[in-house]
Amino acid sequence: MKFTVVITTAPYGHERAYSALRFALTSLLEGIDVNIFLIEDGVYLAKKSQNPSEFPNYMEYLKNCIESGAVVKACGPCCRARGLSEEDLIDGVILGTMHDLVDFVKESDKVVTF
């Protein structure tokens, strides 16, 4: 089984991104393959050097997803619109396009959007 998790919200403004990452990690722990597509403000999840003092570090959750086998792509046009380049993103996150999102959806059994 394979899930695609689409994350549209920035970290720390809402809990949706946190819930999405927890969902992805739990799915991976249960042996489900996971694709994660970061789009719109969700691309900020992959930004290097996050160090929030009073919140869980969402970047670390994303790294854990990657280490557990998730394929993670960030919308390239969304990154550029927000001044982010591939060098600004953590290792393991690939810049992608809508074609990549379509491919993720086509190959998945379920798609969840946060």
Side-chain angles (χ1 to χ4, degrees), residues 64-95:
N64 289 338
C65 287
I66 293 166
E67 290 168 3
S68 297
V71 176
V72 181
K73 294 191 178 183
C75 172
C78 298
C79 287
R80 285 189 292 282
R82 289 157 179 80
L84 298 175
S85 67
E86 195 163 15
E87 293 77 34
D88 296 315
L89 306 180
I90 61 172
D91 290 339
V93 176
I94 303 159
L95 288 181

PDB file of all heavy atoms in Angstrom, residues 64-95:
ATOM      1  N   ASN A  64      12.969  12.600   9.815  1.00  0.00           N
ATOM      2  CA  ASN A  64      12.652  11.239  10.253  1.00  0.00           C
ATOM      3  C   ASN A  64      11.844  10.504   9.193  1.00  0.00           C
ATOM      4  O   ASN A  64      12.045   9.300   8.982  1.00  0.00           O
ATOM      5  CB  ASN A  64      11.889  11.251  11.574  1.00  0.00           C
ATOM      6  CG  ASN A  64      12.747  11.653  12.751  1.00  0.00           C
ATOM      7  OD1 ASN A  64      13.970  11.551  12.709  1.00  0.00           O
ATOM      8  ND2 ASN A  64      12.109  12.127  13.813  1.00  0.00           N
ATOM      9  N   CYS A  65      10.936  11.207   8.526  1.00  0.00           N
ATOM     10  CA  CYS A  65      10.164  10.593   7.446  1.00  0.00           C
ATOM     11  C   CYS A  65      11.093  10.140   6.325  1.00  0.00           C
ATOM     12  O   CYS A  65      10.977   9.019   5.812  1.00  0.00           O
ATOM     13  CB  CYS A  65       9.123  11.572   6.898  1.00  0.00           C
ATOM     14  SG  CYS A  65       7.712  11.871   7.970  1.00  0.00           S
ATOM     15  N   ILE A  66      12.015  11.008   5.946  1.00  0.00           N
ATOM     16  CA  ILE A  66      12.959  10.687   4.871  1.00  0.00           C
ATOM     17  C   ILE A  66      13.819   9.487   5.275  1.00  0.00           C
ATOM     18  O   ILE A  66      14.002   8.558   4.493  1.00  0.00           O
ATOM     19  CB  ILE A  66      13.826  11.919   4.519  1.00  0.00           C
ATOM     20  CG1 ILE A  66      12.949  13.020   3.898  1.00  0.00           C
ATOM     21  CG2 ILE A  66      14.967  11.538   3.592  1.00  0.00           C
ATOM     22  CD1 ILE A  66      13.616  14.381   3.813  1.00  0.00           C
ATOM     23  N   GLU A  67      14.324   9.507   6.503  1.00  0.00           N
ATOM     24  CA  GLU A  67      15.166   8.409   6.987  1.00  0.00           C
ATOM     25  C   GLU A  67      14.390   7.091   7.045  1.00  0.00           C
ATOM     26  O   GLU A  67      14.976   6.015   6.932  1.00  0.00           O
ATOM     27  CB  GLU A  67      15.747   8.754   8.352  1.00  0.00           C
ATOM     28  CG  GLU A  67      16.795   9.849   8.287  1.00  0.00           C
ATOM     29  CD  GLU A  67      17.168  10.409   9.651  1.00  0.00           C
ATOM     30  OE1 GLU A  67      16.664   9.909  10.687  1.00  0.00           O
ATOM     31  OE2 GLU A  67      17.964  11.361   9.676  1.00  0.00           O
ATOM     32  N   SER A  68      13.063   7.194   7.200  1.00  0.00           N
ATOM     33  CA  SER A  68      12.216   5.991   7.275  1.00  0.00           C
ATOM     34  C   SER A  68      11.730   5.545   5.899  1.00  0.00           C
ATOM     35  O   SER A  68      10.947   4.606   5.805  1.00  0.00           O
ATOM     36  CB  SER A  68      11.029   6.255   8.198  1.00  0.00           C
ATOM     37  OG  SER A  68      11.459   6.510   9.508  1.00  0.00           O
ATOM     38  N   GLY A  69      12.167   6.241   4.836  1.00  0.00           N
ATOM     39  CA  GLY A  69      11.864   5.793   3.490  1.00  0.00           C
ATOM     40  C   GLY A  69      10.886   6.629   2.687  1.00  0.00           C
ATOM     41  O   GLY A  69      10.576   6.287   1.543  1.00  0.00           O
ATOM     42  N   ALA A  70      10.376   7.704   3.250  1.00  0.00           N
ATOM     43  CA  ALA A  70       9.452   8.552   2.490  1.00  0.00           C
ATOM     44  C   ALA A  70      10.179   9.256   1.351  1.00  0.00           C
ATOM     45  O   ALA A  70      11.336   9.657   1.494  1.00  0.00           O
ATOM     46  CB  ALA A  70       8.798   9.598   3.393  1.00  0.00           C
ATOM     47  N   VAL A  71       9.484   9.402   0.238  1.00  0.00           N
ATOM     48  CA  VAL A  71       9.972  10.207  -0.879  1.00  0.00           C
ATOM     49  C   VAL A  71       9.346  11.581  -0.710  1.00  0.00           C
ATOM     50  O   VAL A  71       8.119  11.699  -0.613  1.00  0.00           O
ATOM     51  CB  VAL A  71       9.570   9.592  -2.236  1.00  0.00           C
ATOM     52  CG1 VAL A  71       9.996  10.501  -3.387  1.00  0.00           C
ATOM     53  CG2 VAL A  71      10.168   8.201  -2.388  1.00  0.00           C
ATOM     54  N   VAL A  72      10.182  12.622  -0.655  1.00  0.00           N
ATOM     55  CA  VAL A  72       9.681  13.971  -0.394  1.00  0.00           C
ATOM     56  C   VAL A  72      10.062  14.884  -1.541  1.00  0.00           C
ATOM     57  O   VAL A  72      11.239  14.992  -1.901  1.00  0.00           O
ATOM     58  CB  VAL A  72      10.244  14.536   0.931  1.00  0.00           C
ATOM     59  CG1 VAL A  72       9.686  15.937   1.184  1.00  0.00           C
ATOM     60  CG2 VAL A  72       9.909  13.604   2.095  1.00  0.00           C
ATOM     61  N   LYS A  73       9.044  15.562  -2.082  1.00  0.00           N
ATOM     62  CA  LYS A  73       9.274  16.564  -3.117  1.00  0.00           C
ATOM     63  C   LYS A  73       8.603  17.865  -2.695  1.00  0.00           C
ATOM     64  O   LYS A  73       7.541  17.852  -2.078  1.00  0.00           O
ATOM     65  CB  LYS A  73       8.729  16.103  -4.466  1.00  0.00           C
ATOM     66  CG  LYS A  73       9.499  14.904  -4.999  1.00  0.00           C
ATOM     67  CD  LYS A  73       9.172  14.579  -6.421  1.00  0.00           C
ATOM     68  CE  LYS A  73      10.031  13.394  -6.877  1.00  0.00           C
ATOM     69  NZ  LYS A  73       9.820  13.075  -8.273  1.00  0.00           N
ATOM     70  N   ALA A  74       9.259  18.961  -3.022  1.00  0.00           N
ATOM     71  CA  ALA A  74       8.732  20.291  -2.742  1.00  0.00           C
ATOM     72  C   ALA A  74       8.454  20.985  -4.066  1.00  0.00           C
ATOM     73  O   ALA A  74       9.279  20.926  -4.984  1.00  0.00           O
ATOM     74  CB  ALA A  74       9.726  21.105  -1.913  1.00  0.00           C
ATOM     75  N   CYS A  75       7.335  21.636  -4.164  1.00  0.00           N
ATOM     76  CA  CYS A  75       6.949  22.353  -5.380  1.00  0.00           C
ATOM     77  C   CYS A  75       7.997  23.422  -5.700  1.00  0.00           C
ATOM     78  O   CYS A  75       8.197  24.353  -4.915  1.00  0.00           O
ATOM     79  CB  CYS A  75       5.575  22.976  -5.175  1.00  0.00           C
ATOM     80  SG  CYS A  75       5.058  24.074  -6.510  1.00  0.00           S
ATOM     81  N   GLY A  76       8.675  23.261  -6.834  1.00  0.00           N
ATOM     82  CA  GLY A  76       9.714  24.214  -7.238  1.00  0.00           C
ATOM     83  C   GLY A  76       9.191  25.625  -7.415  1.00  0.00           C
ATOM     84  O   GLY A  76       9.777  26.572  -6.868  1.00  0.00           O
ATOM     85  N   PRO A  77       8.089  25.820  -8.170  1.00  0.00           N
ATOM     86  CA  PRO A  77       7.567  27.179  -8.317  1.00  0.00           C
ATOM     87  C   PRO A  77       7.151  27.800  -6.980  1.00  0.00           C
ATOM     88  O   PRO A  77       7.348  28.995  -6.763  1.00  0.00           O
ATOM     89  CB  PRO A  77       6.358  26.997  -9.242  1.00  0.00           C
ATOM     90  CG  PRO A  77       6.686  25.775 -10.053  1.00  0.00           C
ATOM     91  CD  PRO A  77       7.415  24.879  -9.091  1.00  0.00           C
ATOM     92  N   CYS A  78       6.618  26.994  -6.064  1.00  0.00           N
ATOM     93  CA  CYS A  78       6.232  27.508  -4.745  1.00  0.00           C
ATOM     94  C   CYS A  78       7.466  27.943  -3.965  1.00  0.00           C
ATOM     95  O   CYS A  78       7.444  28.975  -3.283  1.00  0.00           O
ATOM     96  CB  CYS A  78       5.471  26.447  -3.953  1.00  0.00           C
ATOM     97  SG  CYS A  78       3.924  25.909  -4.703  1.00  0.00           S
ATOM     98  N   CYS A  79       8.545  27.156  -4.056  1.00  0.00           N
ATOM     99  CA  CYS A  79       9.795  27.529  -3.390  1.00  0.00           C
ATOM    100  C   CYS A  79      10.329  28.844  -3.951  1.00  0.00           C
ATOM    101  O   CYS A  79      10.669  29.758  -3.189  1.00  0.00           O
ATOM    102  CB  CYS A  79      10.842  26.433  -3.560  1.00  0.00           C
ATOM    103  SG  CYS A  79      10.547  24.959  -2.565  1.00  0.00           S
ATOM    104  N   ARG A  80      10.395  28.926  -5.272  1.00  0.00           N
ATOM    105  CA  ARG A  80      10.928  30.154  -5.889  1.00  0.00           C
ATOM    106  C   ARG A  80      10.091  31.377  -5.514  1.00  0.00           C
ATOM    107  O   ARG A  80      10.640  32.450  -5.263  1.00  0.00           O
ATOM    108  CB  ARG A  80      10.999  29.987  -7.400  1.00  0.00           C
ATOM    109  CG  ARG A  80      12.162  29.095  -7.838  1.00  0.00           C
ATOM    110  CD  ARG A  80      12.386  29.096  -9.340  1.00  0.00           C
ATOM    111  NE  ARG A  80      11.299  28.452 -10.083  1.00  0.00           N
ATOM    112  CZ  ARG A  80      11.130  27.143 -10.207  1.00  0.00           C
ATOM    113  NH1 ARG A  80      11.965  26.315  -9.622  1.00  0.00           N
ATOM    114  NH2 ARG A  80      10.131  26.653 -10.908  1.00  0.00           N
ATOM    115  N   ALA A  81       8.786  31.214  -5.448  1.00  0.00           N
ATOM    116  CA  ALA A  81       7.909  32.335  -5.085  1.00  0.00           C
ATOM    117  C   ALA A  81       8.163  32.805  -3.655  1.00  0.00           C
ATOM    118  O   ALA A  81       7.863  33.949  -3.315  1.00  0.00           O
ATOM    119  CB  ALA A  81       6.446  31.933  -5.248  1.00  0.00           C
ATOM    120  N   ARG A  82       8.744  31.931  -2.842  1.00  0.00           N
ATOM    121  CA  ARG A  82       9.006  32.258  -1.441  1.00  0.00           C
ATOM    122  C   ARG A  82      10.498  32.487  -1.174  1.00  0.00           C
ATOM    123  O   ARG A  82      10.930  32.546  -0.031  1.00  0.00           O
ATOM    124  CB  ARG A  82       8.456  31.141  -0.554  1.00  0.00           C
ATOM    125  CG  ARG A  82       6.932  31.155  -0.536  1.00  0.00           C
ATOM    126  CD  ARG A  82       6.332  29.817  -0.153  1.00  0.00           C
ATOM    127  NE  ARG A  82       4.883  29.898  -0.134  1.00  0.00           N
ATOM    128  CZ  ARG A  82       4.100  29.838  -1.226  1.00  0.00           C
ATOM    129  NH1 ARG A  82       4.636  29.701  -2.431  1.00  0.00           N
ATOM    130  NH2 ARG A  82       2.780  29.929  -1.123  1.00  0.00           N
ATOM    131  N   GLY A  83      11.271  32.602  -2.229  1.00  0.00           N
ATOM    132  CA  GLY A  83      12.696  32.899  -2.098  1.00  0.00           C
ATOM    133  C   GLY A  83      13.546  31.723  -1.647  1.00  0.00           C
ATOM    134  O   GLY A  83      14.648  31.924  -1.152  1.00  0.00           O
ATOM    135  N   LEU A  84      13.047  30.500  -1.811  1.00  0.00           N
ATOM    136  CA  LEU A  84      13.798  29.311  -1.404  1.00  0.00           C
ATOM    137  C   LEU A  84      14.397  28.624  -2.620  1.00  0.00           C
ATOM    138  O   LEU A  84      13.726  28.457  -3.636  1.00  0.00           O
ATOM    139  CB  LEU A  84      12.880  28.318  -0.680  1.00  0.00           C
ATOM    140  CG  LEU A  84      12.239  28.786   0.616  1.00  0.00           C
ATOM    141  CD1 LEU A  84      11.260  27.732   1.133  1.00  0.00           C
ATOM    142  CD2 LEU A  84      13.296  29.099   1.661  1.00  0.00           C
ATOM    143  N   SER A  85      15.637  28.208  -2.491  1.00  0.00           N
ATOM    144  CA  SER A  85      16.283  27.423  -3.538  1.00  0.00           C
ATOM    145  C   SER A  85      16.516  26.019  -2.998  1.00  0.00           C
ATOM    146  O   SER A  85      16.325  25.747  -1.807  1.00  0.00           O
ATOM    147  CB  SER A  85      17.623  28.053  -3.934  1.00  0.00           C
ATOM    148  OG  SER A  85      18.534  27.958  -2.849  1.00  0.00           O
ATOM    149  N   GLU A  86      16.966  25.121  -3.857  1.00  0.00           N
ATOM    150  CA  GLU A  86      17.227  23.750  -3.411  1.00  0.00           C
ATOM    151  C   GLU A  86      18.275  23.719  -2.300  1.00  0.00           C
ATOM    152  O   GLU A  86      18.210  22.883  -1.402  1.00  0.00           O
ATOM    153  CB  GLU A  86      17.662  22.895  -4.592  1.00  0.00           C
ATOM    154  CG  GLU A  86      17.598  21.421  -4.313  1.00  0.00           C
ATOM    155  CD  GLU A  86      17.633  20.576  -5.571  1.00  0.00           C
ATOM    156  OE1 GLU A  86      17.992  21.084  -6.640  1.00  0.00           O
ATOM    157  OE2 GLU A  86      17.297  19.389  -5.463  1.00  0.00           O
ATOM    158  N   GLU A  87      19.215  24.650  -2.316  1.00  0.00           N
ATOM    159  CA  GLU A  87      20.252  24.719  -1.281  1.00  0.00           C
ATOM    160  C   GLU A  87      19.678  25.103   0.081  1.00  0.00           C
ATOM    161  O   GLU A  87      20.306  24.861   1.109  1.00  0.00           O
ATOM    162  CB  GLU A  87      21.353  25.713  -1.664  1.00  0.00           C
ATOM    163  CG  GLU A  87      22.184  25.288  -2.855  1.00  0.00           C
ATOM    164  CD  GLU A  87      21.472  25.502  -4.189  1.00  0.00           C
ATOM    165  OE1 GLU A  87      20.701  26.476  -4.334  1.00  0.00           O
ATOM    166  OE2 GLU A  87      21.668  24.668  -5.083  1.00  0.00           O
ATOM    167  N   ASP A  88      18.504  25.732   0.096  1.00  0.00           N
ATOM    168  CA  ASP A  88      17.855  26.125   1.352  1.00  0.00           C
ATOM    169  C   ASP A  88      17.110  24.973   2.008  1.00  0.00           C
ATOM    170  O   ASP A  88      16.645  25.105   3.151  1.00  0.00           O
ATOM    171  CB  ASP A  88      16.859  27.267   1.104  1.00  0.00           C
ATOM    172  CG  ASP A  88      17.523  28.534   0.627  1.00  0.00           C
ATOM    173  OD1 ASP A  88      18.564  28.918   1.200  1.00  0.00           O
ATOM    174  OD2 ASP A  88      16.998  29.154  -0.328  1.00  0.00           O
ATOM    175  N   LEU A  89      16.974  23.851   1.303  1.00  0.00           N
ATOM    176  CA  LEU A  89      16.168  22.737   1.781  1.00  0.00           C
ATOM    177  C   LEU A  89      17.041  21.640   2.381  1.00  0.00           C
ATOM    178  O   LEU A  89      18.194  21.474   2.001  1.00  0.00           O
ATOM    179  CB  LEU A  89      15.333  22.164   0.636  1.00  0.00           C
ATOM    180  CG  LEU A  89      14.463  23.165  -0.128  1.00  0.00           C
ATOM    181  CD1 LEU A  89      13.700  22.458  -1.237  1.00  0.00           C
ATOM    182  CD2 LEU A  89      13.521  23.913   0.804  1.00  0.00           C
ATOM    183  N   ILE A  90      16.465  20.893   3.302  1.00  0.00           N
ATOM    184  CA  ILE A  90      17.201  19.799   3.933  1.00  0.00           C
ATOM    185  C   ILE A  90      17.514  18.708   2.906  1.00  0.00           C
ATOM    186  O   ILE A  90      16.838  18.590   1.883  1.00  0.00           O
ATOM    187  CB  ILE A  90      16.429  19.203   5.131  1.00  0.00           C
ATOM    188  CG1 ILE A  90      15.087  18.616   4.692  1.00  0.00           C
ATOM    189  CG2 ILE A  90      16.262  20.236   6.232  1.00  0.00           C
ATOM    190  CD1 ILE A  90      14.358  17.844   5.779  1.00  0.00           C
ATOM    191  N   ASP A  91      18.538  17.936   3.207  1.00  0.00           N
ATOM    192  CA  ASP A  91      18.922  16.824   2.338  1.00  0.00           C
ATOM    193  C   ASP A  91      17.763  15.841   2.217  1.00  0.00           C
ATOM    194  O   ASP A  91      17.080  15.547   3.206  1.00  0.00           O
ATOM    195  CB  ASP A  91      20.145  16.102   2.893  1.00  0.00           C
ATOM    196  CG  ASP A  91      21.414  16.940   2.790  1.00  0.00           C
ATOM    197  OD1 ASP A  91      21.449  17.871   1.954  1.00  0.00           O
ATOM    198  OD2 ASP A  91      22.363  16.664   3.544  1.00  0.00           O
ATOM    199  N   GLY A  92      17.586  15.332   1.017  1.00  0.00           N
ATOM    200  CA  GLY A  92      16.542  14.349   0.782  1.00  0.00           C
ATOM    201  C   GLY A  92      15.262  14.921   0.211  1.00  0.00           C
ATOM    202  O   GLY A  92      14.383  14.168  -0.190  1.00  0.00           O
ATOM    203  N   VAL A  93      15.152  16.241   0.168  1.00  0.00           N
ATOM    204  CA  VAL A  93      13.973  16.883  -0.429  1.00  0.00           C
ATOM    205  C   VAL A  93      14.343  17.301  -1.845  1.00  0.00           C
ATOM    206  O   VAL A  93      15.340  17.978  -2.072  1.00  0.00           O
ATOM    207  CB  VAL A  93      13.504  18.112   0.384  1.00  0.00           C
ATOM    208  CG1 VAL A  93      12.344  18.807  -0.307  1.00  0.00           C
ATOM    209  CG2 VAL A  93      13.104  17.681   1.791  1.00  0.00           C
ATOM    210  N   ILE A  94      13.512  16.880  -2.791  1.00  0.00           N
ATOM    211  CA  ILE A  94      13.755  17.128  -4.210  1.00  0.00           C
ATOM    212  C   ILE A  94      12.759  18.175  -4.698  1.00  0.00           C
ATOM    213  O   ILE A  94      11.580  18.111  -4.359  1.00  0.00           O
ATOM    214  CB  ILE A  94      13.556  15.825  -5.010  1.00  0.00           C
ATOM    215  CG1 ILE A  94      14.485  14.732  -4.479  1.00  0.00           C
ATOM    216  CG2 ILE A  94      13.752  16.052  -6.503  1.00  0.00           C
ATOM    217  CD1 ILE A  94      14.044  13.331  -4.836  1.00  0.00           C
ATOM    218  N   LEU A  95      13.239  19.137  -5.485  1.00  0.00           N
ATOM    219  CA  LEU A  95      12.307  20.082  -6.096  1.00  0.00           C
ATOM    220  C   LEU A  95      11.477  19.354  -7.143  1.00  0.00           C
ATOM    221  O   LEU A  95      12.001  18.533  -7.906  1.00  0.00           O
ATOM    222  CB  LEU A  95      13.051  21.252  -6.744  1.00  0.00           C
ATOM    223  CG  LEU A  95      13.686  22.255  -5.787  1.00  0.00           C
ATOM    224  CD1 LEU A  95      14.371  23.366  -6.580  1.00  0.00           C
ATOM    225  CD2 LEU A  95      12.667  22.855  -4.836  1.00  0.00           C
TER     226      LEU A  95
END
